[in-house]
Amino acid sequence: MKHTFRWFGPNDPVTLAEIRQTDATGIVTALHHIPNGAVWPIEEIRKRQAMIREAGLTWSVVESVPIHEHIKWNGPLRDEAVANYAQTLRNLGNCGLKTVCYNFMPVIDWARTDQRHPLPTGGYAMRFDFAAHAAFDLFVLRRADAESDYTEEDRARATAWWENADDAAKAALTETVLIGLPGSSESYDLDTLRAGLALYDGIDADTLRRNLTAFLRDVVPAAEEAGIRLAIHPDDPPRPLFGLPRVVSTEADVENLLEAKPSWANGLTLCVGSFGSVATNDVVAMTQRFARHIYFAHLRNVTLESDGKSFFEDSHIDGGVEMVAVIQALVTEEQRRRRDGEEASEIPMRPDHGHFLLDDLRRPTYPGYALVGRMKGLAQLRGVELAVTRLLSQQAERPCPQEHE
């Protein structure tokens, strides 16, 4: 696999020179300074490519070209935003970039309730506490009709969390929920979050799915023209949040997505941690089933907690998903692509959401994107990949047993 590292551009406290020391050879980045919905100019793309190339690395994956909210809820700027997205894909293809990761999560991207969940070893992880999330929704955001989205037990746990939390914990929860995306200028306060949610009044999962299908039918031809592989990122976590539907959460969702616009350009980002955040997803089986459509992999892991809705970011090779089996399925797919003579045989992967460890605790960083924690994860994943690759090679060289007459 192609070993990559997420970098949020010149303002990222983790530098390209530091990433070079992690054994990553590829960079995953985006032009975060360009507003959502605007065309990425070729000169800006090439400027970023040159910066990465001068550091001895390559720009391997674009993550992400954000989807304008008007595309998701079919607003008045929808057609203009789609046309601009298609032109950005053409510009990226013109510059030699081949893989674009994106997501279709309304308003809120990946969501956590705790940036610094303590680990037994002394480091910290990110965590999603469903009771804390519900408490924010019910008692901070005070969303209309929020109570109907939670069971009686959910509401009781949320109330208990709220009553036992001090002011500092409540403030930290609010800050974490509203923090926005790493590397992005976009963030929320309570009023702007409420306004964003209001745009989706009356939009259910079926409507959002239709809007995603319409987007794919419009932009996949441009991606084909540009030689771009689109790789959608699943919902994180894969469940409705704040009354918003989620439509890339399950095996059935992925099947619907691929059937909506069949094309080599319409593919998947395998995020092990996202799909693994609900117990009903068999992530190993999904990797095997959709292997031909996986163009990018986020290899992180989570451990589900007793309520089945909360989780914390575990180390990359621990957690609820058998990472060795996932990597074996990806390596097997790469071998198939090489046998079949496919040009894009290598699957870029990156360690995602590393723990805060050692010097990470004394330097500024984006939530989930600590340097040492991700470097540890990359080393673990590369070791598993090497072992799997050699084992598969040995099995292929072993002669088949002869049947005795």
Side-chain angles (χ1 to χ4, degrees), residues 217-326:
R217 289 174 178 167
D218 285 341
V219 302
V220 164
E224 292 172 337
E225 173 191 338
I228 293 282
R229 297 179 296 270
L230 293 170
I232 195 166
H233 188 288
D235 304 322
D236 182 16
R239 63 177 71 253
L241 298 177
F242 304 124
L244 296 168
R246 306 282 238 183
V247 294
V248 191
S249 295
T250 66
E251 183 173 354
D253 288 338
V254 176
E255 182 177 14
N256 289 335
L257 169 93
L258 297 173
E259 290 178 351
K261 181 61 178 177
S263 168
W264 61 263
N266 179 23
L268 176 68
T269 293
L270 175 72
C271 183
V272 174
S274 293
F275 283 130
S277 297
V278 291
T280 52
N281 281 335
D282 184 337
V283 183
V284 173
M286 291 172 68
T287 306
Q288 294 166 340
R289 178 182 178 188
F290 299 120
R292 289 174 180 262
H293 307 280
I294 294 171
Y295 297 144
F296 186 30
H298 289 184
L299 300 183
R300 65 180 179 89
N301 221 331
V302 301
T303 288
L304 282 169
E305 299 178 15
S306 58
D307 63 359
K309 300 175 183 178
S310 304
F311 59 87
F312 69 91
E313 307 268 6
D314 214 323
S315 69
H316 291 75
I317 56 175
D318 295 314
V321 177
E322 180 49 68
M323 190 63 75
V324 174
V326 169

Side-chain angles (χ1 to χ4, degrees), residues 195-215:
L197 296 176
L199 296 173
Y200 289 85
D201 285 349
I203 294 181
D204 59 11
D206 287 339
T207 303
L208 186 65
R209 192 174 290 109
R210 285 195 296 272
N211 293 346
L212 172 56
T213 297
F215 168 75

Side-chain angles (χ1 to χ4, degrees), residues 12 16 25 65 128 141 143 166 204 216 247-248 261 301 317 330:
D12 194 327
L16 290 172
T25 58
V65 181
F128 180 80
L141 188 62
R143 180 172 58 89
D166 59 21
D204 59 11
L216 289 172
V247 294
V248 191
K261 181 61 178 177
N301 221 331
I317 56 175
L330 295 175

